[in-house]
Amino acid sequence: MLYGASKGAVRTMTKDIAMEFATQGVRVNSIHPGYINTAMVDYAAATTKRDKAELGEAVSPMGRVGTVDEVSNLVLFLASDESSYITGAEMVINGGAMAR
Amino acid sequence: MRFQDKVAIITGGASGIGEATVRQFAAEGAKVVIADFSDRGAAVSEELNKQGHDTFFVKTNVAEEAGVKAMVAATVKKYGQLDILFANAGIGGQGVTHELAVKDWQRMIDINLTGVFLCNKYVIDQMLKQGTGGAIVNCGSIHSHVARNTIPAYSAAKGGVKLLTQSTAIAYAQQNIRVNAICPGYIDTPLIQGSSEEARKYLINLHPMGRLGKPEEIAKSVLFLASEDASFITGTTLSVDGGYTAQ
């Protein structure tokens, strides 16, 4: 519950700060990863007594957990001038998990 | 060159956001099919081919099933494969609900929603035959998320595009066909270039960034979602709206 509440706060806080600085050339966006191959997912696998592949299959329509590189690609995109008209946006990266 | 040897279809590719996307895909090595109702697509294609790119124009009405089938068939005939679709073709239109003529409602739904469905349907059919996966970007809008009082048909169509995108993404996630939508704010394209200065100012003020977006800025997001950089991203919407929907 604490994790969910804190991430929900990040989402709206991001939008608020984006509004504050939109005309000053400061863009603020949030990313919302699903299960990514990190120590946090190791922990989730251990506590639910499932292996990581099984966990990925269960939580994501793509049937796998994401890689850290896939998330960092998104961070770079949002930090670059490629995304010059994007601010206050939330971008989920989760292999389709929140689409269903 | 992120798209070397990839084949991309861009509907509505003759002007505005579509044309900017055509140019960026071509610049990054893709073979590009410019599908549009307007013959201007032929001129864009000719210009790009003279610069050494590989493109061709298919006159297409996305609201007609036979036309969309023919568009996909022409692509496969010429290039042998199909990797990317940007289902971008769309129209604007105003009219409050009780005054909106049924034929105007129907035309909007036919082009902006059924058109996207038909392109997804026949492109996915081809991608499944190839077994190579693929990437689809559908054109939503800020009005996939929020409404305005004078555009019920446009909002209904674009809201439909959002959930069509999500549903399609889930269905083909295991075949590695990724399906996402971009949701632009008001972009400086022919769709609004006819507006009065006053209307333009009004639209600008709706965006916290204090300006309209440029077609090139939308194109860059389309290329990101279509690229391998977005390999774990499917069933999402990417808002490219200068903060419009964050308010």
Side-chain angles (χ1 to χ4, degrees):
Chain A
M1 184 197 78
L2 285 172
Y3 186 82
S6 68
K7 291 300 185 182
V10 166
R11 175 179 170 272
T12 32
M13 187 185 75
T14 298
K15 293 179 192 299
D16 201 272
I17 301 172
M19 293 304 97
E20 270 180 68
F21 299 107
T23 54
Q24 284 143 71
V26 181
R27 297 184 299 100
V28 191
N29 295 291
S30 59
I31 61 157
H32 302 263
Y35 280 60
I36 307 298
N37 194 1
T38 64
M40 210 189 281
V41 169
D42 289 338
Y43 177 77
T47 51
T48 56
K49 298 193 167 52
R50 298 159 101 171
D51 68 36
K52 258 195 297 203
E54 201 188 332
L55 204 59
E57 219 156 283
V59 299
S60 151
M62 273 194 170
R64 63 176 178 90
V65 297
T67 70
V68 289
D69 286 340
E70 288 176 314
V71 178
S72 58
N73 286 337
L74 176 59
V75 174
L76 263 69
F77 171 72
L78 289 173
S80 76
D81 279 343
E82 301 274 295
S83 60
S84 51
Y85 200 53
I86 302 180
T87 195
E90 54 193 88
M91 194 58 198
V92 294
I93 171 163
N94 58 17
M98 267 168 60
R100 64 185 169 192
Chain B
M1 299 278 258
R2 284 184 289 179
F3 300 100
Q4 194 70 52
D5 300 324
K6 298 285 187 190
V7 177
I9 295 179
I10 319 293
T11 69
S15 65
I17 292 169
E19 181 187 349
T21 308
V22 164
R23 291 179 184 278
Q24 288 185 18
F25 268 118
E28 295 218 34
K31 296 166 180 163
V32 185
V33 179
I34 303 167
D36 204 297
F37 191 64
S38 160
D39 288 324
R40 190 182 134 72
V44 174
S45 174
E46 196 183 337
E47 181 200 330
L48 286 167
N49 292 350
K50 271 189 196 149
Q51 294 165 13
H53 300 299
D54 191 352
T55 72
F56 81 105
F57 168 63
V58 186
K59 192 176 172 83
T60 308
N61 177 354
V62 294
E64 285 176 0
E65 184 176 10
V68 172
K69 268 170 108 164
M71 171 190 84
V72 171
T75 302
V76 175
K77 190 173 173 216
K78 176 145 174 88
Y79 293 132
Q81 70 188 73
L82 177 48
D83 307 291
I84 293 158
L85 165 70
F86 178 32
N88 161 70
I91 57 168
Q94 307 241 349
V96 290
T97 300
H98 77 287
E99 291 170 357
L100 185 64
V102 172
K103 70 170 177 37
D104 292 337
W105 161 272
Q106 196 59 55
R107 180 163 181 263
M108 178 71 75
I109 298 298
D110 284 351
I111 296 171
N112 286 18
L113 180 56
T114 306
V116 173
F117 160 70
L118 289 171
C119 292
N120 280 234
K121 174 179 166 66
Y122 287 106
V123 164
I124 287 170
D125 192 42
Q126 172 60 26
M127 286 173 173
L128 291 173
K129 273 184 209 152
Q130 292 174 196
T132 51
I136 293 175
V137 181
N138 292 325
C139 197
S141 163
I142 47 177
H143 300 305
S144 297
H145 299 292
V146 294
R148 268 179 60 207
N149 53 353
T150 56
I151 50 168
Y154 188 84
S155 302
K158 292 298 188 179
V161 167
K162 174 179 182 279
L163 277 151
L164 169 67
T165 299
Q166 292 178 208
S167 180
T168 310
I170 299 163
Y172 303 101
Q174 298 276 326
Q175 283 82 27
N176 204 28
I177 299 171
R178 295 183 300 101
V179 189
N180 294 289
I182 51 151
C183 293
Y186 285 87
I187 308 300
D188 208 348
T189 69
L191 216 58
I192 56 171
Q193 272 157 10
S195 311
S196 68
E197 198 49 42
E198 194 186 344
R200 200 180 158 83
K201 230 174 244 165
Y202 170 76
L203 290 177
I204 287 172
N205 286 334
L206 297 174
H207 302 78
M209 274 192 175
R211 64 176 178 90
L212 300 175
K214 296 178 215 134
E216 293 74 20
E217 292 178 301
I218 304 302
K220 283 173 182 168
S221 290
V222 174
L223 266 72
F224 170 73
L225 288 172
S227 78
E228 275 305 301
D229 282 347
S231 52
F232 199 51
I233 301 178
T234 195
T236 71
T237 57
L238 175 53
S239 295
V240 192
D241 64 6
Y244 188 111
T245 52
Q247 297 172 94

